Amino acid sequence: MTIKKLSIIIPAYNEGNTIHLILDKIKYVNLTNDIQKEIIIVNDCSKDNTEFAITAYQHANPELNIQYFKHEVNKGKGAALHTGISKATGEYLIIQDADLEYDPAEYNDLLKPVITGFADVVYGSRFMGSNPHRILFFWHTIGNRWLTFASNMFSNLNLTDMETCYKLFNTKIIQGIKLTERRFGFEPEVTIKISRIPRIRIYEVGISYYGRTYEEGKKIGWKDGVRAIFCILKYGLFKAR
Ligand code: UDP
Ligand code: MG
C-alpha cells in the first residue's frame, strides 16, 4: 500500500533529560518515499520537566508536526499508548520510547516490508542481525527470551523479540483491537491479539539496541516480568479476542 504518513507514538514519563534528544533524532531521519512524520507525544503525568522540555521543543521547531497529549494521573506505558494510538492519523504507526534505547534512523528498515507491500505489522528485533547491541543484564535477556518463547507458543508465531519497543502497525488494524493492559503488559497483549487476526502479515527486522541502566532512567522491573507471564496466559489461554 502507499503510505503517506507515519505516526510516531511517544509515551513519556519523567523523560525530561532525553525527550529533546529523541525528538532531534526523529527530526533528522528522512523517511523513504517522502513519507511524512506525525509525532504524537503522550506525557503520562511526569513529575519532572518533561512537559517544559516538550513545549520548548515545539516552539523551537514549529515546522514539525507534533501533537501533545497528557494524562492527569500516571497510568503506565500501555495506557499512554492507548491514548496515542487513538489519535494517530498516519496509515502506519510506530511506537517510540522517549529514552535513547532505540534509534529512529532505523524507521526505514521497519518500513521496508510495508513499502514493498508485504507486511501489516513489523517488529524490530534486538536479537537478530548484526547491528550494535549494548551488553547489559543477563537475566533480562533470559527473561525476554523466555517471555517471547511463551508468547510464541500461544500465538503460534516465531518472533525472536516479543518485548521490543519498535512495533510498527497498520493504524486501522491496531485501532480495531481492544487493548486493556495499562502498563508493560501491552507487549504480550498486543502480540497475541494481533496474531489472531485472520491473514495478518507479520514481519521482523533486526535493529540496534542502546540499552539503558536503572541509573539512566529505566523503569521496567521484575514485577512487569511476572505481569507479562500472567498476560500471556490470560490472553493466550482464556480470551478469545
Ligand atoms: N513510560 C510511561 N509511563 C510509565 C512508565 C514508562 O509512559 O508509567 C514510558 C517511558 O517514559 C518510556 C517507555 O514508557 O518512554 C518505556 O519505559 P522504560 O524505558 O522504563 O521501559 P523499557 O525500555 O525497559 O521497556
Ligand atoms: Mg526504554
Side-chain angles (χ1 to χ4, degrees):
M1 90 179 268
T2 39
I3 148 166
K4 294 201 185 76
K5 186 164 59 182
L6 176 70
S7 301
I8 300 156
I9 318 281
I10 310 181
Y13 179 57
N14 295 345
E15 305 284 10
N17 289 336
T18 52
I19 187 98
H20 64 290
L21 298 173
I22 195 70
L23 288 169
D24 263 345
K25 286 185 183 240
I26 295 168
K27 172 170 139 182
Y28 290 120
V29 53
N30 282 319
L31 299 179
T32 46
N33 291 18
D34 282 329
I35 296 171
Q36 300 302 302
K37 291 170 265 186
E38 170 186 63
I39 303 169
I40 299 178
I41 308 176
V42 183
N43 179 355
D44 192 21
C45 199
S46 298
K47 316 240 169 341
D48 69 350
N49 64 338
T50 297
E51 174 157 82
F52 177 79
I54 295 167
T55 19
Y57 197 90
Q58 271 181 309
H59 281 121
N61 297 276
E63 77 288 359
L64 280 182
N65 176 4
I66 300 181
Q67 315 282 332
Y68 177 59
F69 303 93
K70 60 180 174 181
H71 288 166
E72 293 308 321
V73 288
N74 175 245
K75 295 182 179 169
K77 175 179 175 176
L81 293 179
H82 301 160
T83 302
I85 289 167
S86 72
K87 308 288 182 190
T89 65
E91 293 90 348
Y92 276 74
L93 66 84
I94 187 163
I95 297 164
Q96 171 69 63
D97 284 354
D99 53 41
L100 303 171
E101 296 192 309
Y102 296 80
D103 184 1
E106 294 173 355
Y107 289 168
N108 284 320
D109 297 335
L110 282 115
L111 280 166
K112 200 173 164 196
V114 168
I115 292 168
T116 47
F118 289 105
D120 305 307
V121 176
V122 185
Y123 278 30
S125 171
R126 296 166 290 175
F127 303 122
M128 247 174 68
S130 59
N131 300 7
H133 302 102
R134 181 169 180 187
I135 298 304
L136 267 179
F137 305 140
F138 171 73
W139 292 108
H140 276 207
T141 308
I142 295 292
N144 268 323
R145 286 184 197 272
W146 198 88
L147 292 173
T148 298
F149 177 83
S151 157
N152 284 341
M153 280 177 57
F154 290 108
S155 56
N156 195 19
L157 297 176
N158 54 349
L159 289 170
T160 65
D161 189 4
M162 180 273 291
E163 290 280 356
T164 179
C165 159
Y166 268 8
K167 293 181 167 78
L168 183 130
F169 298 97
N170 176 302
T171 304
K172 286 223 168 66
I173 292 179
I174 181 114
Q175 285 176 343
I177 301 178
K178 191 177 179 318
L179 294 167
T180 54
E181 288 299 317
R182 288 155 55 112
R183 286 178 50 95
F184 294 102
F186 172 85
E187 320 292 354
E189 182 187 17
V190 80
T191 304
I192 292 177
K193 288 188 173 174
I194 279 281
S195 76
R196 293 201 174 127
I197 298 175
R199 291 177 296 281
I200 190 91
R201 300 166 307 163
I202 305 173
Y203 276 72
E204 208 179 44
V205 298
I207 55 159
S208 312
Y209 185 54
Y210 304 91
R212 63 173 172 173
T213 62
Y214 287 92
E215 222 166 42
E216 291 160 349
K218 199 168 184 68
K219 290 164 200 88
I220 204 163
W222 65 271
K223 284 185 192 151
D224 297 303
V226 175
R227 179 76 196 173
I229 298 172
F230 173 80
C231 288
I232 291 169
L233 293 173
K234 177 175 171 193
Y235 299 106
L237 277 177
F238 304 118
K239 288 257 165 116
R241 246 264 173 116

mmCIF file of all heavy atoms in Angstrom, residues 11-13 15 44 74 76-77 80 97-99 101 184 212 218-220, ligand 1:
data_model
loop_
_atom_site.group_PDB
_atom_site.id
_atom_site.type_symbol
_atom_site.label_atom_id
_atom_site.label_comp_id
_atom_site.label_asym_id
_atom_site.label_seq_id
_atom_site.Cartn_x
_atom_site.Cartn_y
_atom_site.Cartn_z
ATOM 1 N N PRO A 11 5.388 7.496 24.361
ATOM 2 C CA PRO A 11 4.920 7.569 25.751
ATOM 3 C C PRO A 11 6.058 8.159 26.578
ATOM 4 O O PRO A 11 7.207 7.760 26.420
ATOM 5 C CB PRO A 11 4.696 6.099 26.122
ATOM 6 C CG PRO A 11 5.667 5.335 25.276
ATOM 7 C CD PRO A 11 5.916 6.146 24.021
ATOM 8 N N ALA A 12 5.763 9.104 27.459
ATOM 9 C CA ALA A 12 6.855 9.747 28.197
ATOM 10 C C ALA A 12 6.506 9.928 29.665
ATOM 11 O O ALA A 12 5.517 10.587 29.999
ATOM 12 C CB ALA A 12 7.186 11.100 27.571
ATOM 13 N N TYR A 13 7.303 9.338 30.512
ATOM 14 C CA TYR A 13 7.133 9.501 31.955
ATOM 15 C C TYR A 13 8.496 9.834 32.562
ATOM 16 O O TYR A 13 9.401 9.004 32.554
ATOM 17 C CB TYR A 13 6.559 8.218 32.562
ATOM 18 C CG TYR A 13 6.367 8.297 34.056
ATOM 19 C CD1 TYR A 13 5.579 9.309 34.616
ATOM 20 C CD2 TYR A 13 6.975 7.394 34.908
ATOM 21 C CE1 TYR A 13 5.409 9.392 35.988
ATOM 22 C CE2 TYR A 13 6.805 7.468 36.282
ATOM 23 C CZ TYR A 13 6.024 8.478 36.810
ATOM 24 O OH TYR A 13 5.862 8.570 38.161
ATOM 25 N N GLU A 15 10.912 11.857 31.472
ATOM 26 C CA GLU A 15 11.957 11.734 30.459
ATOM 27 C C GLU A 15 12.495 13.101 30.051
ATOM 28 O O GLU A 15 12.944 13.309 28.923
ATOM 29 C CB GLU A 15 11.420 10.993 29.214
ATOM 30 C CG GLU A 15 10.810 9.632 29.489
ATOM 31 C CD GLU A 15 11.843 8.538 29.757
ATOM 32 O OE1 GLU A 15 13.039 8.850 29.910
ATOM 33 O OE2 GLU A 15 11.426 7.363 29.832
ATOM 34 N N ASP A 44 2.744 10.964 30.412
ATOM 35 C CA ASP A 44 1.990 10.134 31.350
ATOM 36 C C ASP A 44 2.117 10.691 32.774
ATOM 37 O O ASP A 44 2.492 9.983 33.692
ATOM 38 C CB ASP A 44 2.526 8.691 31.256
ATOM 39 C CG ASP A 44 1.631 7.693 31.959
ATOM 40 O OD1 ASP A 44 0.443 7.990 32.166
ATOM 41 O OD2 ASP A 44 2.136 6.597 32.295
ATOM 42 N N ASN A 74 -0.610 9.310 36.513
ATOM 43 C CA ASN A 74 0.287 8.350 35.887
ATOM 44 C C ASN A 74 -0.425 7.015 35.719
ATOM 45 O O ASN A 74 -0.916 6.443 36.689
ATOM 46 C CB ASN A 74 1.552 8.189 36.732
ATOM 47 C CG ASN A 74 2.476 7.109 36.199
ATOM 48 O OD1 ASN A 74 2.705 6.093 36.849
ATOM 49 N ND2 ASN A 74 2.984 7.308 35.014
ATOM 50 N N GLY A 76 0.757 4.420 33.184
ATOM 51 C CA GLY A 76 1.594 3.350 32.647
ATOM 52 C C GLY A 76 1.790 3.465 31.139
ATOM 53 O O GLY A 76 1.023 4.151 30.458
ATOM 54 N N LYS A 77 2.839 2.771 30.638
ATOM 55 C CA LYS A 77 3.182 2.867 29.218
ATOM 56 C C LYS A 77 2.024 2.435 28.315
ATOM 57 O O LYS A 77 1.724 3.080 27.313
ATOM 58 C CB LYS A 77 4.424 2.018 28.901
ATOM 59 C CG LYS A 77 4.761 1.970 27.425
ATOM 60 C CD LYS A 77 6.004 1.153 27.084
ATOM 61 C CE LYS A 77 6.169 1.080 25.562
ATOM 62 N NZ LYS A 77 7.396 0.400 25.120
ATOM 63 N N ALA A 80 -0.584 5.072 28.061
ATOM 64 C CA ALA A 80 -0.096 6.184 27.226
ATOM 65 C C ALA A 80 -0.197 5.795 25.755
ATOM 66 O O ALA A 80 -0.580 6.611 24.900
ATOM 67 C CB ALA A 80 1.340 6.535 27.605
ATOM 68 N N ASP A 97 9.873 4.782 22.355
ATOM 69 C CA ASP A 97 10.065 5.222 23.735
ATOM 70 C C ASP A 97 10.801 6.562 23.752
ATOM 71 O O ASP A 97 11.513 6.896 22.821
ATOM 72 C CB ASP A 97 10.876 4.184 24.526
ATOM 73 C CG ASP A 97 10.035 2.966 24.900
ATOM 74 O OD1 ASP A 97 8.819 2.980 24.642
ATOM 75 O OD2 ASP A 97 10.614 2.001 25.445
ATOM 76 N N ALA A 98 10.621 7.291 24.868
ATOM 77 C CA ALA A 98 11.191 8.639 24.968
ATOM 78 C C ALA A 98 12.649 8.621 25.412
ATOM 79 O O ALA A 98 13.273 9.665 25.538
ATOM 80 C CB ALA A 98 10.360 9.464 25.941
ATOM 81 N N ASP A 99 13.204 7.418 25.677
ATOM 82 C CA ASP A 99 14.630 7.338 26.014
ATOM 83 C C ASP A 99 15.410 7.108 24.721
ATOM 84 O O ASP A 99 14.871 7.223 23.627
ATOM 85 C CB ASP A 99 14.860 6.225 27.048
ATOM 86 C CG ASP A 99 14.271 4.903 26.593
ATOM 87 O OD1 ASP A 99 14.394 4.564 25.406
ATOM 88 O OD2 ASP A 99 13.666 4.198 27.431
ATOM 89 N N GLU A 101 17.104 4.260 23.809
ATOM 90 C CA GLU A 101 17.484 2.854 23.662
ATOM 91 C C GLU A 101 17.358 2.352 22.217
ATOM 92 O O GLU A 101 17.998 1.382 21.840
ATOM 93 C CB GLU A 101 16.625 1.978 24.589
ATOM 94 C CG GLU A 101 16.854 2.281 26.064
ATOM 95 C CD GLU A 101 16.247 1.233 27.006
ATOM 96 O OE1 GLU A 101 15.058 0.906 26.859
ATOM 97 O OE2 GLU A 101 16.948 0.756 27.884
ATOM 98 N N PHE A 184 3.257 -2.481 31.251
ATOM 99 C CA PHE A 184 4.084 -3.126 30.235
ATOM 100 C C PHE A 184 3.444 -4.405 29.690
ATOM 101 O O PHE A 184 3.992 -5.029 28.787
ATOM 102 C CB PHE A 184 5.486 -3.391 30.788
ATOM 103 C CG PHE A 184 6.261 -2.131 31.082
ATOM 104 C CD1 PHE A 184 6.401 -1.654 32.373
ATOM 105 C CD2 PHE A 184 6.834 -1.400 30.046
ATOM 106 C CE1 PHE A 184 7.115 -0.489 32.643
ATOM 107 C CE2 PHE A 184 7.538 -0.231 30.299
ATOM 108 C CZ PHE A 184 7.683 0.227 31.598
ATOM 109 N N ARG A 212 19.606 1.093 28.375
ATOM 110 C CA ARG A 212 19.994 1.993 29.466
ATOM 111 C C ARG A 212 19.877 1.263 30.801
ATOM 112 O O ARG A 212 19.137 0.278 30.941
ATOM 113 C CB ARG A 212 19.138 3.264 29.479
ATOM 114 C CG ARG A 212 17.649 3.035 29.739
ATOM 115 C CD ARG A 212 16.946 4.384 29.897
ATOM 116 N NE ARG A 212 15.497 4.234 29.950
ATOM 117 C CZ ARG A 212 14.677 5.244 30.219
ATOM 118 N NH1 ARG A 212 15.150 6.449 30.435
ATOM 119 N NH2 ARG A 212 13.365 5.045 30.240
ATOM 120 N N LYS A 218 15.792 3.703 33.468
ATOM 121 C CA LYS A 218 14.929 2.578 33.100
ATOM 122 C C LYS A 218 13.877 2.345 34.180
ATOM 123 O O LYS A 218 14.158 2.483 35.375
ATOM 124 C CB LYS A 218 15.787 1.324 32.935
ATOM 125 C CG LYS A 218 15.118 0.223 32.139
ATOM 126 C CD LYS A 218 16.107 -0.863 31.770
ATOM 127 C CE LYS A 218 15.468 -1.917 30.879
ATOM 128 N NZ LYS A 218 15.132 -1.361 29.554
ATOM 129 N N LYS A 219 12.640 2.019 33.783
ATOM 130 C CA LYS A 219 11.565 1.891 34.757
ATOM 131 C C LYS A 219 10.988 0.491 34.877
ATOM 132 O O LYS A 219 10.407 0.141 35.900
ATOM 133 C CB LYS A 219 10.437 2.876 34.425
ATOM 134 C CG LYS A 219 10.857 4.287 34.694
ATOM 135 C CD LYS A 219 9.985 5.329 34.043
ATOM 136 C CE LYS A 219 10.738 6.639 33.964
ATOM 137 N NZ LYS A 219 11.544 6.744 32.739
ATOM 138 N N ILE A 220 11.136 -0.317 33.854
ATOM 139 C CA ILE A 220 10.541 -1.653 33.883
ATOM 140 C C ILE A 220 11.206 -2.466 35.006
ATOM 141 O O ILE A 220 12.393 -2.307 35.269
ATOM 142 C CB ILE A 220 10.720 -2.324 32.493
ATOM 143 C CG1 ILE A 220 9.670 -3.406 32.264
ATOM 144 C CG2 ILE A 220 12.135 -2.841 32.282
ATOM 145 C CD1 ILE A 220 9.541 -3.803 30.803
HETATM 146 N N1 UDP B 1 6.506 5.095 30.485
HETATM 147 C C1 UDP B 1 5.254 5.704 30.616
HETATM 148 N N2 UDP B 1 4.561 5.549 31.798
HETATM 149 C C2 UDP B 1 5.048 4.829 32.846
HETATM 150 C C3 UDP B 1 6.323 4.176 32.695
HETATM 151 C C4 UDP B 1 7.015 4.320 31.487
HETATM 152 O O1 UDP B 1 4.777 6.372 29.688
HETATM 153 O O2 UDP B 1 4.372 4.746 33.882
HETATM 154 C C5 UDP B 1 7.289 5.268 29.232
HETATM 155 C C6 UDP B 1 8.722 5.705 29.455
HETATM 156 O O3 UDP B 1 8.816 7.102 29.598
HETATM 157 C C7 UDP B 1 9.401 5.194 28.208
HETATM 158 C C8 UDP B 1 8.618 3.911 27.893
HETATM 159 O O4 UDP B 1 7.373 4.030 28.595
HETATM 160 O O5 UDP B 1 9.278 6.109 27.130
HETATM 161 C C9 UDP B 1 9.358 2.642 28.296
HETATM 162 O O6 UDP B 1 9.848 2.732 29.636
HETATM 163 P P1 UDP B 1 11.253 2.093 30.072
HETATM 164 O O7 UDP B 1 12.335 2.606 29.183
HETATM 165 O O8 UDP B 1 11.428 2.293 31.530
HETATM 166 O O9 UDP B 1 10.993 0.558 29.831
HETATM 167 P P2 UDP B 1 11.743 -0.470 28.900
HETATM 168 O O10 UDP B 1 12.506 0.261 27.843
HETATM 169 O O11 UDP B 1 12.603 -1.208 29.838
HETATM 170 O O12 UDP B 1 10.641 -1.330 28.327
#
